[in-house]
Amino acid sequence: MSTVLAASTGLDFSLTQKLFVIAMCALTAFISHLALAVFNDGVRPFMLDFIQGRSKRSATTAVSFGLSAGFIFGLGAPMALSSGVLNPWLLFLPTDILGILAPRKWLAPLLGGAWGALVVFGLGGANDVAHDLPVDFLTAMQQMSTPILFLFTLFPVLAITRQFGRPRGALAAVLELALVILTMKLWPNVFAGSLAMAAGVLLLIGLAVRKDLAQREADRAAALAAGEQISGPGQKSQESQGSQGSQGSQGSQESTVDPMASLFSTSALRLRRHLPLFMVLGAGICVLAQMHIFGGGEATSFLIAKGQYSEAAQVDFYRVFGFVPLIATTALASGAYGIAGFTLVYPIGYLLPNPLLAAVVGAVVLALEVLALSSIGKVLGKLPSVRDSSEYLRGAITETLALAILFGSLLAANVMGGGLGILVVGGLYLLNEAMGRPVVRMAAAPAAVLAGGVLLNILYWLDLFTPLKG
């Protein structure tokens, strides 16, 4: 697959698209201000104390900024500049911070809208300036697309290996490799990792469900065996004792209330009371995805830029399995949902033919998610292996993308300045590691490319560096 993007990376949006992005940033900042939803999964567990008044707005804002800043400037901005497609780190992480920061309801949407305006008007100008520089580091960053797309394909293999062992992991690796080769041979215009990722995720889910069902059967058999051992000569006396103590046991059961179940039901009820607002949010995000100016993930951004919308929908759909348990449990525990819900509105939006239909479907999808939140939590409680699979999937996604982004950043560094470019970008990445990662690892490499590109341009103006030709 070519590393040259089929779509323009000029961030040239229509006025309607710009206004819609501004409106969505205003809406998400308002929802964040109300502590109904945040995009950053790491911030959500802190929202319960904020909702219940045990944590001040300033302290919660500091937590949100600390957990989000690296992703905004180290990942969100570089990915948007290199692909020409907006992403949730650039749009929704800042509105998390601005919404929580705002002391008044009316101020939150104003701050969010201002950020949206800065993105759609300012980022395009920065993009134009960068492309006119002697060392065009934004074009060089398009080299990241191929490593991200192909290495991301392997995340189910890592998850299967970690959860179910090396033999099954090796089987998944062989299966995915065969499907990638088959797709490249028979369907060269289709993203080669599509079938491979589908097979890997389905295999992981199948193994997890099989393990849970086998465990339930084993537990049922053990319970029956234990019941047969208990029943016997002492059964009558136990029955008489049981009849005498039935009222007392009933009273003790009534007095014993599961605090987590009570918290979950309270959180679910809180979210349902604001169902119309969530429906507006779902409609807006689905329309944003339908416009094809927005991608929900690293790989998705480049697929959207290439015009491969069905492949982008597949990639984001597979990611859902890794985040549903996390989003559901943290939402039920904290009372704050995800800005994009379970992110199903992303792939649905990519595939819908017009914005009106996207708005209707997005509203329905997010409404159903909020209404089903309690039921989803109960189901996940009965499927521990499936719940564990989501954690392995998230870890595998992070690991594969971290390697892909690092490798792609070094390719970009080589295009910018050959050995000197690799030295600068790789050196900045290693320095970040040595300093205890002030910039999160996944965002450190793209941020190093931007900083390295600026440095190489300065060296050019000082007549100390000659850009590579071609």
Side-chain angles (χ1 to χ4, degrees):
M1 181 181 294
S2 173
T3 59
V4 179
L5 303 185
S8 170
T9 58
L11 292 165
D12 294 326
F13 307 135
S14 68
L15 180 60
T16 301
Q17 291 171 337
K18 290 178 179 178
L19 293 176
F20 193 82
V21 170
I22 293 171
M24 286 304 302
C25 288
L27 175 63
T28 52
F30 179 69
I31 290 174
S32 173
H33 173 84
L34 298 177
L36 289 174
V38 290
F39 180 76
N40 194 323
D41 295 321
V43 174
R44 201 171 301 116
F46 294 92
M47 297 303 290
L48 180 62
D49 286 342
F50 177 63
I51 291 168
Q52 296 181 348
R54 293 193 299 267
S55 177
K56 293 183 178 180
R57 188 172 293 277
S58 58
T60 309
T61 301
V63 170
S64 181
F65 181 82
L67 293 175
S68 303
F71 287 102
I72 296 169
F73 301 107
L75 186 62
M79 289 296 297
L81 289 168
S82 60
S83 67
V85 176
L86 300 174
N87 57 69
W89 304 285
L90 183 62
L91 295 184
F92 302 145
L93 287 181
T95 57
D96 281 358
I97 300 168
L98 295 171
I100 298 171
L101 173 67
R104 297 288 184 268
K105 286 184 180 180
W106 59 267
L107 184 58
L110 289 180
L111 292 176
W115 174 258
L118 179 64
V119 169
V120 295
F121 290 107
L123 209 61
N127 184 76
D128 294 338
V129 170
H131 281 303
D132 292 335
L133 292 173
V135 180
D136 185 358
F137 52 87
L138 294 187
T139 299
M141 287 184 73
Q142 295 175 18
Q143 297 289 326
M144 291 195 300
S145 64
T146 299
I148 287 175
L149 290 174
F150 279 88
L151 286 175
F152 184 73
T153 304
L154 293 174
F155 77 88
V157 175
L158 269 65
I160 291 171
T161 305
R162 296 251 165 80
Q163 186 173 8
F164 296 105
R166 296 176 184 176
R168 290 188 175 93
L171 174 64
V174 171
L175 175 64
E176 285 209 7
L177 178 61
L179 288 173
V180 168
I181 294 172
L182 183 67
T183 304
M184 294 177 73
K185 185 69 176 178
L186 299 180
W187 306 287
N189 295 325
V190 175
F191 170 48
S194 298
L195 287 178
M197 276 190 288
V201 171
L202 289 175
L203 180 59
L204 175 65
I205 295 173
L207 290 171
V209 171
R210 179 186 175 189
K211 182 178 179 179
D212 281 333
L213 293 177
Q215 185 62 47
R216 289 176 67 178
E217 289 295 327
D219 292 343
R220 189 179 294 112
L224 289 174
E228 291 176 358
Q229 291 178 359
I230 292 173
S231 62
Q235 184 175 4
K236 291 184 179 180
S237 62
Q238 291 175 1
E239 289 177 352
S240 63
Q241 292 175 2
S243 62
Q244 292 174 1
S246 60
Q247 294 181 349
S249 62
Q250 184 178 357
S252 64
Q253 289 175 0
E254 290 176 353
S255 63
T256 303
V257 178
D258 184 357
M260 289 305 296
S262 176
L263 176 62
F264 280 16
S265 61
T266 302
S267 298
L269 183 61
R270 177 178 187 267
L271 296 176
R272 287 175 190 167
R273 284 200 299 266
H274 296 87
L275 193 62
L277 192 56
F278 280 111
M279 293 178 71
V280 174
L281 177 64
I285 294 179
C286 199
V287 170
L288 191 63
Q290 193 279 331
M291 290 178 173
H292 300 146
I293 62 171
F294 174 90
E298 300 88 346
T300 314
S301 295
F302 288 110
L303 288 170
I304 292 291
K306 293 171 184 290
Q308 296 178 320
Y309 307 131
S310 60
E311 287 87 348
Q314 284 182 282
V315 170
D316 271 355
F317 179 72
Y318 303 144
R319 288 173 66 106
V320 169
F321 294 103
F323 288 89
V324 166
L326 172 68
I327 294 171
T329 53
T330 55
L332 289 170
S334 67
Y337 198 36
I339 283 293
F342 294 142
T343 69
L344 277 171
V345 287
Y346 294 162
I348 291 172
Y350 303 148
L351 299 176
L352 291 177
N354 60 72
L356 180 60
L357 182 59
V360 173
V361 174
V364 172
V365 167
L366 214 64
L368 291 176
E369 288 181 11
V370 172
L371 293 173
L373 208 51
S374 294
S375 300
I376 292 171
K378 292 176 183 178
V379 170
L380 290 173
K382 298 177 181 178
L383 297 172
S385 295
V386 174
R387 192 171 62 247
D388 291 344
S389 293
S390 72
E391 296 180 8
Y392 285 109
L393 275 175
R394 288 198 311 277
I397 287 171
T398 301
E399 192 171 346
T400 53
L401 285 175
L403 176 62
I405 291 173
L406 174 60
F407 187 64
S409 297
L410 291 175
L411 288 178
N414 184 59
V415 170
M416 288 192 308
L420 179 60
I422 293 174
L423 173 65
V424 171
V425 172
L428 289 173
Y429 179 86
L430 292 174
L431 181 62
N432 183 71
E433 291 285 308
M435 294 173 62
R437 297 186 198 134
V439 179
V440 291
R441 176 176 283 174
M442 190 177 292
V449 174
L450 292 182
V454 172
L455 178 59
L456 290 176
N457 278 290
I458 293 173
L459 292 176
Y460 168 79
W461 289 321
L462 295 174
D463 200 23
L464 296 175
F465 170 73
T466 302
L468 299 181
K469 300 296 182 183

